[in-house]
Amino acid sequence: MTSWDVAVIGGGPAGAATATLAARAGLSVILVDRARFPRDKACAEYLSPEAARDLDALGVLGRIEAAGAARLHGFRLVSDDGAAVCGRFANTPFTPYRPFGYALPRLAFDAILLDAARDAGVEVREGTAFDHLIVEGGVVRGALVREGPDACEIRSRIVVGADGLHSRVARGLGVARRGGLARLALVAHLTGVEAMSDVGEMFASDGWYVGLAPVGGGRVNFAMVVPQAEAAGIEHDPEAFFLAKLRSVPELARRIRGARVAREVMVTGPFARRVSSPVADGALLVGDAADFYDPFTGEGIFAALRGARLAVDVLAPALARGEATRRSLHPYVAMRRRAFLGKWILERVVGLGATRPALMRRFTRQLARRTHVADLWVGAAGDTVPVRTLFAPRHLMAFVL
């Protein structure tokens, strides 16, 4: 029976990045995913300017650009009364790693990252489903996986759960908890959308919102978030529900008049998930398995990539010293807090206002009067501006005066 230093469950951005970096650190790594790549995924498909730093560190930024990734230089926010404001990443005192973000279909993006893992020496097994953790004496020692009808034990010194929002690894560790976001997302690609520019867009309405991002090839990603209470209408006919919502917004109704759905409407959620701890004896969680970002901020991929770097910065030294215990992995908890606390606060503040029309109208109109503050908010959402900057008294006054 072969054993590895690291077994990664999940081949999305978090898993592929963790596997690549761990292999480059000299560790033997196996990665398994139940899907076969390339495959589509319900996702906003947006990468913030700061995510480019992590893609560069992985050595894949050139491949992302060569694949035709669209460049987004900022975001436009539109409230339900039609008020709008646009902020740009380059228009702040902070110099971003790139003055634009990227948008690329996960069909291409995930395959690029998985190829990078293979290039780094990771053993990648597609079409291999995680079954359960192997736990001995309270310590995770590997995982049982299935390739078709055949079961196989994977023994490892640490298991990394990178299996997404509904992580079975997190459930196996007993750390999965219900959160507060009882929402669903519907995501589709449309062609023939009018008046797209070099920025992404976010339309907020009463109880729901939708983001638009060109992803290359004339396609636009539409990522809509609605209350879970609307699940029955979605289940009956996802595409009809989706288009009816879009057409209820006057500006969008005009702009999609001649558009067509080029990729089926995919549904994901609910988002009411969190974990009590991302580390355990012999295991660690990354990406959405460790923490879920409100879709309004669109930062899941950035968090996955940056979280992978933090994970390997902790697990590699822990394995070099001996076992990956909860104690030796605990610095990862503090590192994640330092890296993401500001965004956790921002996502909750924005998520609170995004579905409340009165708040969003005031927010949008006040930002439109002070475009330099709008640039800061967009920069913070894009990880190029420290969130604490937004709460400086002179910037908070923008919403009072």
Side-chain angles (χ1 to χ4, degrees), residues 39-396:
R39 59 96 172 91
D40 265 321
K41 191 82 172 176
C43 176
E45 299 178 325
Y46 160 68
L47 300 102
S48 70
E50 186 62 19
R53 187 187 305 273
D54 298 294
L55 294 171
D56 229 355
L58 287 168
V60 299
L61 187 56
R63 297 188 218 179
I64 299 299
E65 293 178 329
R71 294 182 176 185
L72 304 180
H73 291 261
F75 266 87
R76 176 176 178 254
L77 176 63
V78 185
S79 61
D80 71 322
D81 62 350
V85 61
C86 184
R88 291 184 173 267
F89 300 124
N91 294 349
T92 76
F94 302 89
T95 303
Y97 192 75
R98 291 287 189 276
F100 46 79
Y102 293 96
L104 183 69
R106 291 284 296 272
L107 192 71
F109 181 73
D110 288 13
I112 289 172
L113 290 188
L114 208 55
D115 283 344
R118 290 190 180 94
D119 292 344
V122 176
E123 180 172 335
V124 176
R125 294 187 187 176
E126 301 177 47
T128 303
F130 168 76
D131 190 287
H132 64 260
L133 295 170
I134 299 171
V135 182
E136 297 171 350
V139 179
V140 176
R141 299 295 187 185
L144 183 76
V145 299
R146 295 187 180 278
E147 300 179 55
D150 301 320
C152 172
E153 278 193 2
I154 292 177
R155 291 277 172 167
S156 63
R157 299 171 66 195
I158 185 170
V159 171
V160 174
D163 51 338
L165 177 63
H166 303 289
S167 172
R168 295 187 65 199
V169 175
R171 294 203 297 273
L173 293 172
V175 299
R177 302 288 185 271
R178 291 191 63 81
L181 290 173
R183 302 175 188 168
L184 301 172
L186 298 89
V187 185
H189 287 175
L190 273 66
T191 58
V193 180
E194 297 180 6
M196 294 302 300
S197 66
D198 66 344
V199 299
E201 300 178 76
M202 187 67 70
F203 289 78
S205 193
D206 188 3
W208 65 280
Y209 51 87
V210 61
L212 285 63
V215 292
R219 294 188 174 206
V220 178
N221 178 299
F222 280 68
M224 178 185 295
V225 175
V226 302
Q228 188 178 355
E230 302 200 51
I234 296 170
E235 185 177 2
H236 175 68
D237 189 337
E239 184 172 314
F241 176 94
F242 181 79
L243 293 175
K245 281 281 191 184
L246 294 181
R247 289 167 182 151
S248 72
V249 179
E251 180 182 331
L252 291 179
R254 292 191 301 270
R255 291 173 58 185
I256 68 168
R257 195 168 355 193
R260 70 176 186 86
V261 176
R263 191 194 71 186
E264 66 174 332
V265 177
M266 304 176 74
V267 183
T268 187
F271 302 131
R273 298 288 185 273
R274 61 183 180 85
V275 298
S276 57
S277 174
V279 297
D281 288 326
L284 177 150
L285 302 172
V286 294
D288 286 349
D291 181 79
F292 182 74
Y293 274 57
D294 189 304
F296 196 93
T297 63
E299 291 306 285
I301 296 178
F302 163 73
L305 299 175
R306 184 58 51 86
R309 291 176 63 179
L310 300 179
V312 176
D313 284 348
V314 171
L315 70 84
L319 292 177
R321 293 191 299 267
E323 288 193 338
T325 63
R326 183 190 300 269
R327 182 174 181 178
S328 67
L329 296 174
H330 196 264
Y332 175 63
V333 179
M335 291 165 68
R336 284 181 57 82
R337 185 175 179 82
R338 285 195 298 271
F340 300 134
L341 178 60
K343 285 306 293 288
W344 290 339
I345 294 171
L346 181 63
E347 73 181 40
R348 283 156 179 77
V349 170
V350 175
L352 175 68
T355 56
R356 291 166 173 79
L359 287 176
M360 190 54 66
R361 288 174 206 149
R362 179 172 178 79
F363 179 76
T364 305
R365 290 185 180 279
Q366 292 295 86
L367 286 185
R369 293 171 55 197
R370 298 168 175 82
T371 55
H372 69 287
V373 181
D375 293 329
L376 290 174
W377 275 84
V378 167
D383 308 303
T384 65
V385 173
V387 173
R388 64 179 179 275
T389 304
L390 303 180
F391 299 100
R394 67 183 184 279
H395 297 142
L396 287 177

Side-chain angles (χ1 to χ4, degrees), residues 6-21:
V6 183
V8 179
I9 310 300
T18 301
T20 298
L21 296 173

Side-chain angles (χ1 to χ4, degrees), residues 26-49:
L27 300 170
S28 59
V29 185
I30 183 170
L31 179 152
V32 303
D33 195 294
R34 64 183 177 182
R36 293 194 179 276
F37 293 75
R39 59 96 172 91
D40 265 321
K41 191 82 172 176
C43 176
E45 299 178 325
Y46 160 68
L47 300 102
S48 70

